[in-house]
Amino acid sequence: MTGSIADWLMERTPRERWLLGMGAAMVLVWVAITLIWQPVQSRRQDARQQIAFYDRALAALQSSDAPAAPVDARALNAIVTEAAASFDLTIRRLEPAGERIRVTLDDAAFQTLVLWLEAMDRDSGLRATELDLSRRPAPGTVNAIMVLEQ
């Protein structure tokens, strides 16, 4: 079968060879766009969105001239539980101690956790004074143990 493709191609007229060549070139361009260009562009867009998210989160955490959050008069348990539920975070353990509360979260999305902490500071005046994060096997997932204070 050596040379059978070349023999078959040579049996074609010049116009058929030209059409086959153009068809092959179009298939190669389609494959390059579908398997290389589009995935690269998609990953670049995802990376840009993550960078923008982290920039906003960092700016929110570093802003020292932000107005003081209103102090919520409800019990810390209720405040933390309600806010966690609105962010779909599952609390494993709550340990209130006066103006402080120790919160343990399992398998929380890191981005959601950062947004939740920012919302807690903004809406209830609770700030994380201690934070211990451990990475989980799933990408972007952490276990967190933190102390929140008013």
Side-chain angles (χ1 to χ4, degrees), residues 25-145:
M26 290 175 68
V27 167
L28 285 174
V29 167
W30 177 80
V31 166
I33 289 172
T34 303
L35 298 179
I36 299 170
W37 182 257
Q38 287 178 340
V40 167
Q41 291 302 315
S42 175
R43 287 189 185 107
R44 282 183 69 195
Q45 183 63 27
D46 291 346
R48 284 182 183 148
Q49 289 174 346
Q50 281 188 331
I51 290 169
F53 168 78
Y54 290 127
D55 284 344
R56 286 191 309 272
L58 183 61
L61 292 174
Q62 289 178 342
S63 68
S64 60
D65 57 342
V71 176
D72 198 331
R74 295 179 294 159
L76 292 179
N77 287 357
I79 296 169
V80 172
T81 303
E82 182 181 307
S86 68
F87 281 85
D88 291 329
L89 293 171
T90 303
I91 297 175
R92 182 171 50 110
R93 184 180 215 176
L94 287 175
E95 299 172 23
E99 294 293 315
R100 302 168 48 128
I101 187 165
R102 180 177 296 274
V103 182
T104 303
L105 301 171
D106 285 338
D107 296 326
F110 178 75
Q111 292 180 348
T112 305
L113 177 64
V114 171
L115 292 174
W116 177 66
L117 287 172
E118 192 274 328
M120 292 293 294
D121 182 32
R122 180 188 65 235
D123 300 338
S124 304
L126 288 173
R127 286 192 169 197
T129 56
E130 297 175 26
L131 181 61
D132 180 23
L133 298 175
S134 57
R135 185 170 42 180
R136 301 293 300 150
T141 305
V142 296
N143 285 347
I145 300 172

